[in-house]
Amino acid sequence: MVRELKVVVVGAGAFGGWTALWLRRAGARVTLVDAWGPGNSRSSSGGETRIIRGIYGPDRIYVDWVARAFDLWQESEVRWGQRLCFPTGALWMFGGEDGYARAALPLLHAAGLPAAELSPADARRRFPQVCFDGIESVFYEERAGYLAARRACQAVAGAVAAEGGEVRELAARPGEIAGRAMRRLDLADGGGLAADVFVFACGPWLAELFPDVLGQLILPTRQEVFFFGTPAGSGARFGEGSFPVWMELGERGVFYGIPGNELRGFKVADDTRGEPFDPTSGERIASPLGLERVRGHLGRRFPELAGAPLLEARVCQYENSPDGHLLIDRHPRAGNVWLVGGGSGHGFKLGPALGEHVADLVLGRAVPNPQLSLARLRDIPAAAPRSQFSHRV
């Protein structure tokens, strides 16, 4: 019976936290463990904000998950009395091929997520803050926005504990696999933690914990994020109540940003994959070259912000799969072990819906999706990880 099933979830980020919560709500005995705690600054779910948007090219699975996630984020805000989702809308700008957005529009409409193409003239009138030089097509998502990432991770973990689960700050590694099963985790203090089922949602540490299975199939890369100061009194032009999150895909690469960030500044980031990164011991100091590249783009696209002062900079990481899709599958030699990861810079928003799906897999209520399988990763030729957008453009 579900109430007798003991599950340990390793990793209290967006994937692990929501998985643990759904399992607990189904009646399982759940322990959620994380080496540094929910939303910590080493994790891929750390930091303050993440975009939530529905345009995902032709990939229906993600569009449907986003639609479900929107509802679950909003339900959770009411349940917990915390604001987690900030609806700003999303502005998509393309300097060339725009099939990624066009393929998504009918899927968004079917999922109840309003989105439409804007003519360049309409875009200029609606968003005079933006210089649209070099932009060939524009799309706008009405329901998109951003999420309070760190706060959400802590809220989810708090709900796991409040609803009868256990949350522990532990350094753990996979235990021995024998008889096609794992029986316990090995803890750093020499102890162990036994369970019937284990879910490893360890973000950039997933391949490190399972090198024989994943090797370089999940690769952490170093990413930089910058927050710039807007002119005094410019909230009506660049604040989150008046300006949307934005993405730009063009010849110069892929850039994205979030306005306001609860007064942290105008967030801008380059989505180009960085060099391999050690999430445990890597230094998190932004580079002068990264700042120069982002500042140059900021000035071209938002002329009023040319020369804007840097308020904060942050180094995080993506954990990339070769094709940018997620990994949700059983361990090939242990039927009671699930591997969940490969967020590739776009997974956080999906957390509530993805966790619901993983919980259903653990409980035998769903079957794995071949699109997210381990086998498909092994069939992909080795290549540099792509942008979170480019594998679907």
Side-chain angles (χ1 to χ4, degrees), residues 172-241:
R173 299 191 67 85
E176 179 185 5
I177 293 175
R180 301 198 61 79
M182 183 183 296
R183 302 304 177 192
R184 62 172 235 166
L185 294 180
D186 294 333
L187 304 180
D189 62 5
L193 189 59
D196 302 307
V197 179
F198 298 89
V199 178
F200 289 87
C202 313
W205 294 276
L206 191 60
E208 177 185 330
L209 294 181
F210 296 95
D212 56 331
V213 173
L214 293 175
Q216 295 296 303
L217 294 178
I218 303 292
L219 177 67
T221 59
R222 185 181 187 277
Q223 308 298 141
E224 298 180 346
V225 179
F226 300 91
F227 298 80
F228 295 93
T230 57
S234 63
R237 292 178 65 75
F238 292 105
E240 60 194 48

Side-chain angles (χ1 to χ4, degrees), residues 247-271:
M247 284 73 61
E248 179 180 339
L249 290 75
E251 292 183 359
R252 295 179 184 271
V254 178
F255 292 85
Y256 66 93
I258 302 175
N261 296 276
E262 296 191 279
L263 306 181
R264 297 180 69 86
F266 195 81
K267 178 178 177 178
V268 185
D270 180 351
D271 194 62

Side-chain angles (χ1 to χ4, degrees), residues 15-189:
F15 293 177
W18 280 104
T19 296
L21 184 56
W22 284 114
L23 284 166
R24 179 60 205 140
R25 287 177 175 173
R29 297 163 57 198
V30 176
T31 302
L32 175 64
V33 304
D34 193 287
W36 291 285
N40 72 83
S41 291
R42 283 184 170 98
S43 69
S44 292
S45 291
E48 308 312 318
T49 54
R50 294 291 187 279
I51 289 175
I52 181 167
R53 43 88 179 181
I55 287 181
Y56 258 105
D59 292 324
R60 179 181 295 275
I61 182 175
Y62 296 122
V63 176
D64 289 346
W65 270 347
V66 170
R68 175 66 174 152
F70 269 121
D71 293 340
L72 294 173
W73 282 115
Q74 292 173 352
E75 288 175 13
S76 298
E77 286 186 314
V78 174
R79 182 190 292 252
W80 300 331
Q82 292 194 61
R83 192 176 183 195
L84 303 173
C85 187
F86 296 74
T88 65
L91 179 68
W92 290 81
M93 298 174 280
F94 291 84
E97 170 59 42
D98 61 7
Y100 178 69
R102 292 192 184 281
L105 291 182
L107 301 181
L108 265 69
H109 294 156
L113 301 177
E117 182 175 7
L118 301 179
S119 71
D122 285 343
R124 288 185 177 92
R125 282 192 293 269
R126 187 166 180 178
F127 302 108
Q129 309 93 318
V130 181
C131 172
F132 286 95
D133 291 354
I135 298 300
E136 297 180 12
S137 55
V138 181
F139 300 83
Y140 186 75
E141 285 188 63
E142 293 184 17
R143 199 176 174 189
Y146 75 85
L147 300 160
R150 189 193 312 275
R151 186 191 310 162
C153 290
Q154 294 169 350
V156 172
V160 172
E163 296 182 30
E166 185 178 11
V167 180
R168 301 178 64 183
E169 190 170 314
L170 293 173
R173 299 191 67 85
E176 179 185 5
I177 293 175
R180 301 198 61 79
M182 183 183 296
R183 302 304 177 192
R184 62 172 235 166
L185 294 180
D186 294 333
L187 304 180
D189 62 5

Side-chain angles (χ1 to χ4, degrees), residues 290-303:
L291 174 59
E292 180 183 4
R293 179 169 164 80
V294 166
R295 192 190 289 279
H297 188 79
L298 180 71
R300 285 189 298 271
R301 194 57 65 210
F302 306 96

